Amino acid sequence: MTPKAWMQKNRMRGSVISIVFSAVLGAVIFLYVSKTRKPPEDNLPPIIKQVIKLNDNIKKTTIDLYNASGRLDSISMVQSRITDIKSAIDLIGQLREMVKKNQQEIDDLVGFIQDHEPFFNRKNLAWMFAVKDFYSSENVISHQKSQTGYLASFETLLQYTHDNFENIMEHKSQQHMKNYDVYYLRYRRAADLHNRSNRKRIAFQKQFIEEYPEVSPFIPGSHHFEPFKFWDKFSF
């Protein structure tokens, strides 16, 4: 894939996620205004405005995380230059921080909804507590853990390759190649686990939205959970 084609594909990914998340504004306003029969600008209370703001924060960090994951896929396909390996290592560090920030934004929204339970019950918006149930589910938590494990094992593999680049690429040291194989197998196991976790989360998410369609504007689209392009050791 050419750089231009890849950039166009990445922009399309971000646009689709943005469409999914932007629906929350209309959903929340519609549900609230349908109860008051008054213009939304006159009736949106601070609590609803804060829910919209918190969800927008999740939208931004999710798009950032998704786009960075796409860049990592692209960089991972280039293995002949040590500079590309270093770039991938640096990007994984950024991804780790993005994962933390995204999770914090999710926790902020879930906590805010929980803290304002009386308000949502009073306004017949108790379905919003399903958002908490979704992010607290075993499938979602397992996905978060597998993502962390995948990034850690990939970083370890890349760091070893970077630190022993000449021995692996040029001198073909048997000991270094044996060590590399160990790190590579650990990486593949972590990546396979994360791919399985992705599929389970997609299935769970689809079923959950079918059961609670009102929560769909608050949950990322499943389209951004794609199989990884594995680092291929046999291209050396």
Side-chain angles (χ1 to χ4, degrees):
M1 181 181 292
T2 65
K4 182 177 180 181
W6 178 84
M7 290 177 65
Q8 291 175 338
K9 181 180 179 182
N10 220 33
R11 283 198 295 269
M12 290 178 64
R13 287 173 169 176
S15 297
V16 175
I17 299 174
S18 181
I19 291 171
V20 171
F21 275 93
S22 62
V24 67
L25 179 60
V28 173
I29 291 178
F30 174 79
L31 287 169
Y32 183 78
V33 174
S34 65
K35 304 294 181 181
T36 61
R37 302 293 183 181
K38 296 178 182 179
E41 62 272 16
D42 295 335
N43 293 281
L44 279 181
I47 291 177
I48 294 296
K49 291 180 180 179
Q50 183 64 11
V51 167
I52 295 172
K53 179 178 182 297
L54 292 172
N55 198 69
D56 282 344
N57 292 341
I58 297 176
K59 177 186 76 171
K60 182 181 184 306
T61 56
T62 300
I63 291 175
D64 290 344
L65 179 58
Y66 180 59
N67 289 340
S69 297
R71 293 197 300 273
L72 182 61
D73 277 348
S74 179
I75 294 174
S76 298
M77 293 298 98
V78 183
Q79 306 168 53
S80 60
R81 296 177 299 186
I82 195 169
T83 53
D84 293 307
I85 296 174
K86 181 61 168 60
S87 295
I89 293 171
D90 292 341
L91 185 52
I92 289 176
Q94 297 173 29
L95 272 164
R96 186 180 293 107
E97 294 304 313
M98 290 179 183
V99 169
K100 292 179 181 178
K101 186 173 183 180
N102 182 250
Q103 186 58 50
Q104 184 59 58
E105 300 293 0
I106 290 171
D107 292 343
D108 288 346
L109 174 61
V110 170
F112 187 84
I113 293 173
Q114 187 65 45
D115 291 342
H116 294 83
E117 179 177 358
F119 172 85
F120 295 117
N121 283 328
R122 191 167 61 251
K123 297 299 180 180
N124 296 319
L125 297 174
W127 57 264
M128 294 188 71
F129 295 108
V131 175
K132 175 181 179 296
D133 293 338
F134 174 83
Y135 285 115
S136 302
S137 71
E138 181 179 352
N139 285 298
V140 173
I141 293 175
S142 295
H143 173 268
Q144 294 164 343
K145 291 181 179 179
S146 67
Q147 182 179 49
T148 300
Y150 163 74
L151 291 174
S153 62
F154 196 11
E155 183 179 41
T156 300
L157 170 66
L158 292 174
Q159 191 64 61
Y160 183 82
T161 305
H162 178 274
D163 295 344
N164 300 278
F165 190 76
E166 292 186 2
N167 285 315
I168 295 174
M169 296 291 286
E170 297 178 12
H171 302 302
K172 301 294 183 180
S173 164
Q174 291 299 314
Q175 185 59 50
H176 284 92
M177 290 303 297
K178 182 182 294 185
N179 292 340
Y180 175 86
D181 286 344
V182 171
Y183 288 122
Y184 181 80
L185 288 175
R186 290 175 182 172
Y187 155 74
R188 282 302 299 248
R189 283 195 294 268
D192 286 337
L193 175 63
H194 193 34
N195 275 328
R196 290 196 299 272
S197 178
N198 278 337
R199 291 192 292 270
K200 289 181 180 179
R201 171 170 170 157
I202 291 171
F204 167 73
Q205 184 165 307
K206 180 180 179 181
Q207 180 181 1
F208 193 89
I209 291 177
E210 288 177 354
E211 186 174 356
Y212 304 101
E214 301 93 339
V215 307
S216 59
F218 293 87
I219 297 175
S222 60
H223 58 276
H224 72 280
F225 300 116
E226 299 176 350
F228 297 103
K229 300 174 182 177
F230 289 115
W231 170 289
D232 184 3
K233 71 173 182 176
F234 301 108
S235 67
F236 285 144

